[in-house]
Amino acid sequence: MNPIYKQTRFFTSVFDPWRLPVDEGAEVAFAGRSNAGKSSAINALCQQRNLAQISKTPGRTRTINFFVVKDDRRLVDLPGYGYAKAPHEMRKRWQSLVEHYLRQRGSLRGLILVMDIRHPLTEHDWLLLEWGKQCELPMHTLLTKADKLSRGAVAASLQKIGGLLQERAVDSSLQAFSALKHQGLKEAHKVLDDWLGL
Ligand SMILES: Nc1nc2c(ncn2[C@@H]2O[C@H](COP(=O)(O)OP(=O)(O)O)[C@@H](O)[C@H]2O)c(=O)[nH]1
Ligand SMILES: [Mg+2]
């Protein structure tokens, strides 16, 4: 495993679209619904406990959080979508911030879609996948919390989800992952290394 990820540091939190950091180098963004396990995945991949904040209350992260792996290579924790209890105003704000980011970010090299393996492919997940397909943005999907299922069930859901993506001609690689058990780190690091040019 590339030891570089262990040196990842928090860089900045952004709430307003016009405050995004300089758009240079290479970035990989983690997207997915609230509570899917995005922040936990970033922590596990960087072998740190509290790099990205894990919240007990879903929908807490309203900012885009940037982490520097090395120089101008960054990981980005996007605020989770689909949090039903968030007030309308908040959801609109989420949408405009994330949409703005995704549309205009030149340094964005790929999108990691994080889905709870027990609740995959929500309506929002599909929107994101279809959007990524349209812009030809490389995508990789982590089916996380794989520790919650048996090995057989994990294999079955990998196959099923892979089939559904294929049906819609969505080109995303796919893997099982567990932040809790540190499962799937090697596979995910390979994708990050490639996209970030590390
Ligand atoms: N069992 C298990 N729980 C996880 C895993 N990843 C995240 N969680 C839990 O899921 C909840 C949401 O995680 P978080 O990373 O904050 O999700 P985010 O909202 O997508 O950033 C927390 O209670 C985590 O401890 C995992 O791989 N396995
Ligand atoms: Mg989070």
Side-chain angles (χ1 to χ4, degrees):
M1 173 159 77
N2 193 334
I4 199 103
Y5 294 98
K6 250 188 139 160
Q7 292 165 33
T8 306
R9 292 289 171 264
F10 173 77
F11 179 47
T12 188
S13 267
V14 174
F15 193 68
D16 302 304
W18 58 90
R19 297 230 162 117
L20 290 171
V22 179
D23 194 4
E24 283 171 359
E27 228 162 68
V28 172
F30 289 68
R33 68 190 279 188
S34 297
N35 226 34
K38 294 174 294 299
S39 303
S40 303
I42 291 175
N43 286 338
L45 288 163
C46 297
Q47 294 180 280
Q48 298 180 43
R49 272 178 192 282
N50 298 312
L51 183 62
Q53 274 197 3
I54 295 160
S55 133
K56 291 230 155 58
T57 333
R60 281 290 284 280
T61 319
R62 321 258 200 231
T63 50
I64 298 186
N65 299 320
F66 291 81
F67 303 91
V68 170
V69 181
K70 182 186 185 242
D71 304 329
D72 58 0
R73 311 293 139 133
R74 295 173 299 272
L75 300 179
V76 182
D77 193 4
L78 294 175
Y81 45 74
Y83 181 54
K85 278 193 197 150
H88 182 63
E89 198 47 45
M90 213 69 232
R91 290 207 302 265
K92 261 177 37 194
R93 208 174 163 133
W94 174 86
Q95 240 179 348
S96 64
L97 177 61
V98 173
E99 274 185 23
H100 174 82
Y101 169 81
L102 289 172
R103 271 179 209 291
Q104 62 80 53
R105 199 72 178 162
S107 54
L108 183 62
R109 293 286 171 274
L111 196 64
I112 304 269
L113 177 57
V114 180
M115 304 195 286
D116 185 326
I117 194 163
R118 299 162 303 169
H119 312 286
L121 297 174
T122 64
E123 194 183 332
H124 266 96
D125 294 327
W126 276 120
L127 280 175
L128 209 63
L129 287 162
E130 294 284 356
W131 177 85
K133 175 180 160 183
Q134 260 180 33
C135 337
E136 296 180 17
L137 186 70
M139 293 186 287
H140 181 71
T141 300
L142 301 181
L143 294 176
T144 193
K145 308 193 188 181
D147 55 274
K148 298 264 193 188
L149 298 181
S150 69
R151 278 174 144 219
V154 167
S157 87
L158 270 170
Q159 198 165 37
K160 183 170 174 209
I161 293 161
L164 290 168
L165 293 178
Q166 224 170 22
E167 259 175 41
R168 293 215 201 175
V170 167
D171 190 14
S172 171
S173 42
L174 192 63
Q175 69 161 106
F177 189 87
S178 165
L180 189 71
K181 301 280 184 203
H182 287 188
Q183 179 195 337
L185 293 181
K186 209 170 150 191
E187 211 176 334
H189 275 142
K190 242 178 103 176
V191 174
L192 293 179
D193 285 352
D194 181 30
W195 288 351
L196 292 175
L198 290 169

